[in-house]
Amino acid sequence: MHPIIRYSLFGALTGGVACQPAADAGADSATTVADRLARYTTVQLTADTAALTDAQRRMLPILVDAAREMDPVFWEEAWGSRDSLLNAISDPDVRRLAEINYGPWDRLDDNVSFVAGAGARPPGANLYPRDMTRAEFDSAATGAHGDSLRSLYTLVRRDSAGALVAVPYSQAFAARHEAAAAKLREAAAIAEDPGLRRYLESRAAALLTDQYQPSDLAWMDMKQNVIDIVIGPIETYEDNLFGYKAAHEAYVLIKDTAWSARLARYAGTLPSLQRGLPVPDAYKAETPGTGSDLNAYDAVFYAGQANSGAKTIAINLPNDEEVQLRKGTRRLQLKNVMRAKFDGILVPIATELLDTDQMPFVSFDAFFENTMFHEVAHGLGIKNTIDGKGTVREALKERASALEEEKADILGLYMVQELVTQGELGGEDVRNNYTTFLAGLFRSVRFGAADAHGRANIATFNFFQANGAFARDSATGKYRVDQERMRAAMSALSEKILRLQGDGDYAGVGAFYEEYGAIDPVLQGDLDRLGSKGIPVDVLFNQ
């Protein structure tokens, strides 16, 4: 019997830098707390450790301890004082829902409040003062301290005179960062792989200095490690005000070496695929890094932003544009989580919403490929605007994340199409990918518009529907794919997104999501059918 590792989901969480008033227990929405909890299905997060060395097995609990430190930090970023909120809630189900969401807002329901008195979620979460206006920030950020105010790695707070100031994460979360760094150094001391040892030491230093690029480069350079940890302030999804601030999260992972060997060759196809993008040359002039890795992992532990709301099934990092252009990225497919979502969520959705003759085209391999190439496709397109507005992320601000996720979805499907045409996918039938992609849209649309992936998929669904990529039988409420029209819609949407990114067209992105970013009554009715059938929206982990 192979040894199996399991870790408890929540440890003791304390501390904070920006406490909020205690909220009243209760619910502000007509949807019951039981309904909200029923949107999740619990799965056992396990991994086979039989192939690990003794040193690697000893490292795992140490890395989990480091990862666990990201939970209280993310609570502060998302809400404020965890204890002030949870201690004010008497209903155990409401308290559990708050734990799942790291606050009083339902991340699977457009951040609707389910705790009386909590109010609406601030667009900037707790990363900025709640009474701060965009105009006030913009004015302050034009001064000498603009770079620090806009930094990925600072909180914005008020000084004693009420002026906006930047507080580095290494200071704001000093105790948690120091504890995590100590655990990373402890793990490094027993790491057998030199690349992993260098990365752990470098990441520990980054937590203490807010200088993350050296550790990103070290992470890209390590190739032989079986154990991995992604930890620190990484994604900007939590900042819906400007998209400037990275929030804290962590994953502890074990590489599946057999699956990874199957994937290794695909990252090398990026330069040729970039040249073939259906967009004018100016929007594909950059050359993707060729040091990209593509590997499969089993997830052992999630913490912080990664563990809130909808759980990710793949990772594409680092986000630093300089590192991406120099080294590429690493694409990590979280195979055990992906399998749980396919079996427990996507197949039941497809059975309910797709025509019966479409079901043979729904497969785990296609789901895995679509997800895998989504992550690879983050490396395609353009990272810097073509007219001097800086990086795409800087120019599009809080609108960048959803559009980037949508780009990766569409260009991932484009990659599948091209690789099938070139015979690189071993005779794969692209109908599997198209049909499974449509089923995946229904799955992700259920995350709601407050989630970057959900917002991206709503827009893709509506754009594809407007362009005839699929049709719905009004009598049965079932959908079927039109292969040729889906291919045409894919090309049209690819060009649309790449132009918006390359032009740094902030207003254009807003107009695009205004046109395509809402769920219409027909789609909402279909999604309600899924809920009435008891099909969950996402997973919770027993870790």
Side-chain angles (χ1 to χ4, degrees):
M1 175 108 177
H2 291 167
I4 298 292
I5 49 177
R6 292 182 174 88
Y7 297 101
S8 62
L9 183 58
F10 293 102
L13 306 182
T14 59
V17 297
C19 295
Q20 301 299 326
D24 300 324
D28 291 340
S29 169
T31 304
T32 69
V33 170
D35 291 337
R36 297 185 186 283
L37 288 173
R39 292 171 178 156
Y40 295 92
T41 183
T42 300
V43 299
Q44 187 71 49
L45 194 56
T46 63
D48 187 345
T49 64
L52 299 183
T53 66
D54 289 342
Q56 289 167 341
R57 289 196 190 97
R58 284 189 288 129
M59 286 178 64
L60 282 173
I62 300 170
L63 294 177
V64 168
D65 285 344
R68 210 184 292 277
E69 296 294 339
M70 300 299 102
D71 258 334
V73 176
F74 183 66
W75 262 99
E76 292 296 338
E77 293 167 329
W79 159 257
S81 171
R82 173 187 184 270
D83 291 344
S84 72
L85 177 65
L86 298 186
N87 291 342
I89 301 173
S90 58
D91 186 322
D93 286 342
V94 178
R95 190 180 305 115
R96 176 62 177 142
L97 194 58
E99 289 174 337
I100 291 168
N101 286 280
Y102 290 74
W105 304 293
D106 190 339
R107 293 172 181 270
L108 297 187
D109 190 13
D110 294 339
N111 285 319
V112 167
S113 171
F114 54 83
V115 176
R121 179 192 182 276
N126 197 39
L127 298 160
Y128 306 85
R130 297 196 181 190
D131 62 348
M132 184 196 79
T133 65
R134 290 177 66 102
E136 181 186 12
F137 181 89
D138 288 338
S139 177
T142 60
H145 301 294
D147 287 346
S148 60
L149 287 171
R150 288 188 297 269
S151 169
L152 287 164
Y153 309 123
T154 63
L155 294 173
V156 176
R157 294 293 181 256
R158 295 193 184 278
D159 64 16
S160 58
L164 299 179
V165 294
V167 182
Y169 284 170
S170 59
Q171 296 177 23
F173 308 120
R176 297 296 178 182
H177 277 207
E178 289 166 5
K183 288 295 181 180
L184 294 179
R185 289 193 296 267
E186 182 181 348
I190 60 175
E192 298 163 307
D193 177 60
L196 177 59
R197 185 183 313 119
R198 282 192 295 272
Y199 164 64
L200 294 174
E201 291 169 346
S202 181
R203 201 64 174 180
L207 288 167
L208 304 180
T209 63
D210 301 305
Q211 301 299 314
Y212 286 91
Q213 190 175 87
S215 64
D216 284 345
L217 292 167
W219 191 65
M220 286 300 301
D221 285 340
M222 66 178 189
K223 305 294 184 183
Q224 305 303 319
N225 58 300
V226 174
I227 303 297
D228 206 343
I229 183 170
V230 175
I231 186 169
I234 298 171
E235 303 287 6
T236 60
Y237 303 136
E238 197 68 12
D239 180 2
N240 298 145
L241 187 63
F242 292 108
Y244 290 152
K245 304 300 176 185
H248 285 67
E249 64 183 350
Y251 306 82
V252 180
L253 309 167
I254 300 175
K255 183 183 290 184
D256 185 319
T257 54
W259 271 78
S260 295
R262 294 169 55 186
L263 308 180
R265 75 177 190 271
Y266 293 123
T269 65
L270 282 177
S272 63
L273 290 169
Q274 173 87 346
R275 291 190 293 271
L277 289 173
V279 71
D281 288 346
Y283 298 89
K284 55 184 178 182
E286 295 174 355
T287 301
T290 56
S292 298
D293 287 337
L294 186 58
N295 292 293
Y297 290 78
D298 283 330
V300 172
F301 193 81
Y302 280 49
Q305 193 274 330
N307 197 45
S308 65
K311 312 301 186 294
T312 191
I313 53 179
I315 307 167
N316 177 69
L317 291 172
N319 288 326
D320 186 316
E321 292 87 355
E322 291 183 18
V323 176
Q324 289 184 11
L325 291 174
R326 287 170 57 185
K327 299 279 190 176
T329 61
R330 289 178 63 198
R331 286 89 177 194
L332 292 73
Q333 315 301 305
L334 308 184
K335 183 168 60 67
N336 57 343
V337 181
M338 203 180 300
R339 185 87 227 189
K341 292 199 183 192
F342 179 81
D343 290 341
I345 301 174
L346 190 136
V347 169
I349 286 173
T351 301
E352 179 63 28
L353 293 183
L354 298 185
D355 270 341
T356 303
D357 65 358
Q358 300 283 282
M359 288 304 296
F361 303 117
V362 177
S363 73
F364 178 72
D365 283 352
F367 183 53
F368 188 92
E369 288 168 357
N370 289 349
T371 306
M372 171 179 68
F373 287 117
H374 166 105
E375 298 306 328
V376 176
H378 279 297
L380 292 175
I382 194 163
K383 304 298 179 186
N384 298 285
T385 59
I386 66 175
D387 54 1
K389 294 177 183 175
T391 66
V392 171
R393 184 167 55 178
E394 291 168 341
L396 298 185
K397 300 180 182 179
E398 81 283 1
R399 294 172 179 169
S401 291
L403 194 68
E404 176 62 22
E405 293 305 325
E406 190 169 7
K407 179 205 83 172
D409 277 343
I410 302 308
L411 294 191
L413 201 57
Y414 155 80
M415 289 187 68
V416 171
Q417 174 65 59
E418 292 301 302
L419 292 171
V420 166
T421 300
Q422 296 169 19
E424 291 288 338
L425 286 180
E428 178 71 59
D429 187 337
V430 75
R431 289 179 295 178
N432 296 344
N433 300 88
Y434 286 163
T435 309
T436 304
F437 184 86
L438 176 57
L441 285 179
F442 290 117
R443 183 184 71 85
S444 295
V445 161
R446 298 175 82 203
F447 298 156
D451 176 90
H453 299 79
R455 190 158 59 253
N457 280 276
I458 292 168
T460 297
F461 181 93
N462 288 330
F463 188 96
F464 275 19
Q465 186 173 53
N467 285 271
F470 51 81
R472 180 183 186 274
D473 186 326
S474 59
T476 64
K478 300 279 190 175
Y479 292 78
R480 60 185 303 108
V481 169
D482 184 313
Q483 182 175 345
E484 292 307 314
R485 289 186 175 184
M486 179 166 273
R487 186 192 309 228
M490 177 182 67
S491 294
L493 186 52
S494 297
E495 180 173 9
K496 175 74 171 177
I497 292 172
L498 290 171
R499 283 182 180 275
L500 288 170
Q501 288 187 322
D503 294 340
D505 189 353
Y506 179 85
V509 178
F512 175 73
Y513 283 116
E514 183 70 24
E515 181 177 1
Y516 292 106
I519 297 176
D520 69 22
V522 174
L523 176 57
Q524 186 60 59
D526 291 335
L527 299 180
D528 291 344
R529 279 165 50 199
L530 301 178
S532 70
K533 298 289 185 179
I535 299 172
V537 176
D538 207 64
V539 297
L540 297 177
F541 298 133
N542 283 330
Q543 337 188 60

